[in-house]
mmCIF file of all heavy atoms in Angstrom:
data_model
loop_
_atom_site.group_PDB
_atom_site.id
_atom_site.type_symbol
_atom_site.label_atom_id
_atom_site.label_comp_id
_atom_site.label_asym_id
_atom_site.label_seq_id
_atom_site.Cartn_x
_atom_site.Cartn_y
_atom_site.Cartn_z
ATOM 1 N N ASN A 303 87.245 107.874 112.762
ATOM 2 C CA ASN A 303 86.375 106.978 113.551
ATOM 3 C C ASN A 303 85.419 107.870 114.284
ATOM 4 O O ASN A 303 85.804 109.002 114.722
ATOM 5 C CB ASN A 303 87.160 106.153 114.551
ATOM 6 C CG ASN A 303 87.722 104.886 113.879
ATOM 7 O OD1 ASN A 303 86.992 104.260 113.072
ATOM 8 N ND2 ASN A 303 88.976 104.474 114.278
ATOM 9 N N PRO A 304 84.213 107.355 114.725
ATOM 10 C CA PRO A 304 83.260 108.050 115.478
ATOM 11 C C PRO A 304 83.526 107.980 117.024
ATOM 12 O O PRO A 304 82.933 108.667 117.791
ATOM 13 C CB PRO A 304 81.976 107.429 115.036
ATOM 14 C CG PRO A 304 82.235 105.987 114.772
ATOM 15 C CD PRO A 304 83.629 106.169 114.152
ATOM 16 N N SER A 305 84.450 107.162 117.440
ATOM 17 C CA SER A 305 84.779 107.120 118.837
ATOM 18 C C SER A 305 86.299 106.611 118.908
ATOM 19 O O SER A 305 86.840 106.237 117.985
ATOM 20 C CB SER A 305 83.914 106.113 119.651
ATOM 21 O OG SER A 305 84.272 104.699 119.451
ATOM 22 N N ALA A 306 86.797 106.739 120.174
ATOM 23 C CA ALA A 306 88.257 106.428 120.384
ATOM 24 C C ALA A 306 88.573 105.001 120.302
ATOM 25 O O ALA A 306 89.754 104.668 120.183
ATOM 26 C CB ALA A 306 88.635 107.035 121.816
ATOM 27 N N SER A 307 87.486 104.050 120.420
ATOM 28 C CA SER A 307 87.869 102.689 120.583
ATOM 29 C C SER A 307 87.449 101.978 119.285
ATOM 30 O O SER A 307 87.370 100.641 119.378
ATOM 31 C CB SER A 307 87.068 102.108 121.772
ATOM 32 O OG SER A 307 85.749 102.371 121.679
ATOM 33 N N ASP A 308 87.292 102.546 118.140
ATOM 34 C CA ASP A 308 86.728 101.897 116.906
ATOM 35 C C ASP A 308 87.721 101.146 116.113
ATOM 36 O O ASP A 308 87.515 100.314 115.238
ATOM 37 C CB ASP A 308 85.898 102.907 116.067
ATOM 38 C CG ASP A 308 84.615 103.247 116.758
ATOM 39 O OD1 ASP A 308 84.064 102.386 117.366
ATOM 40 O OD2 ASP A 308 84.268 104.427 116.587
ATOM 41 N N GLY A 309 89.157 101.452 116.372
ATOM 42 C CA GLY A 309 90.176 100.715 115.720
ATOM 43 C C GLY A 309 90.238 100.873 114.270
ATOM 44 O O GLY A 309 89.893 101.950 113.683
ATOM 45 N N CYS A 310 90.632 99.722 113.590
ATOM 46 C CA CYS A 310 90.910 99.833 112.118
ATOM 47 C C CYS A 310 89.941 99.226 111.186
ATOM 48 O O CYS A 310 90.274 98.594 110.229
ATOM 49 C CB CYS A 310 92.310 99.242 111.910
ATOM 50 S SG CYS A 310 93.675 99.964 112.909
ATOM 51 N N GLY A 311 88.719 99.120 111.620
ATOM 52 C CA GLY A 311 87.692 98.444 110.780
ATOM 53 C C GLY A 311 86.906 99.382 109.953
ATOM 54 O O GLY A 311 87.189 100.346 109.584
ATOM 55 N N ASN A 312 85.720 98.957 109.721
ATOM 56 C CA ASN A 312 84.835 99.554 108.767
ATOM 57 C C ASN A 312 84.000 100.779 109.349
ATOM 58 O O ASN A 312 83.187 101.381 108.678
ATOM 59 C CB ASN A 312 83.731 98.689 108.095
ATOM 60 C CG ASN A 312 84.392 97.739 107.009
ATOM 61 O OD1 ASN A 312 85.412 98.185 106.491
ATOM 62 N ND2 ASN A 312 84.011 96.587 106.945
ATOM 63 N N LYS A 313 84.221 101.184 110.695
ATOM 64 C CA LYS A 313 83.582 102.350 111.191
ATOM 65 C C LYS A 313 84.456 103.541 110.822
ATOM 66 O O LYS A 313 83.944 104.599 110.928
ATOM 67 C CB LYS A 313 83.593 102.252 112.784
ATOM 68 C CG LYS A 313 82.578 101.260 113.348
ATOM 69 C CD LYS A 313 82.549 101.324 114.791
ATOM 70 C CE LYS A 313 81.362 100.289 115.338
ATOM 71 N NZ LYS A 313 81.266 100.409 116.879
ATOM 72 N N ARG A 314 85.554 103.317 110.190
ATOM 73 C CA ARG A 314 86.246 104.353 109.597
ATOM 74 C C ARG A 314 85.448 104.878 108.405
ATOM 75 O O ARG A 314 85.172 104.170 107.446
ATOM 76 C CB ARG A 314 87.665 103.875 109.143
ATOM 77 C CG ARG A 314 88.599 103.550 110.291
ATOM 78 C CD ARG A 314 89.887 103.046 109.807
ATOM 79 N NE ARG A 314 89.818 101.879 109.095
ATOM 80 C CZ ARG A 314 90.789 101.205 108.457
ATOM 81 N NH1 ARG A 314 91.978 101.778 108.325
ATOM 82 N NH2 ARG A 314 90.542 100.047 107.809
#
Side-chain angles (χ1 to χ4, degrees):
N303 277 324
S305 78
S307 58
D308 291 321
C310 305
N312 287 329
K313 289 187 177 182
R314 293 176 295 172

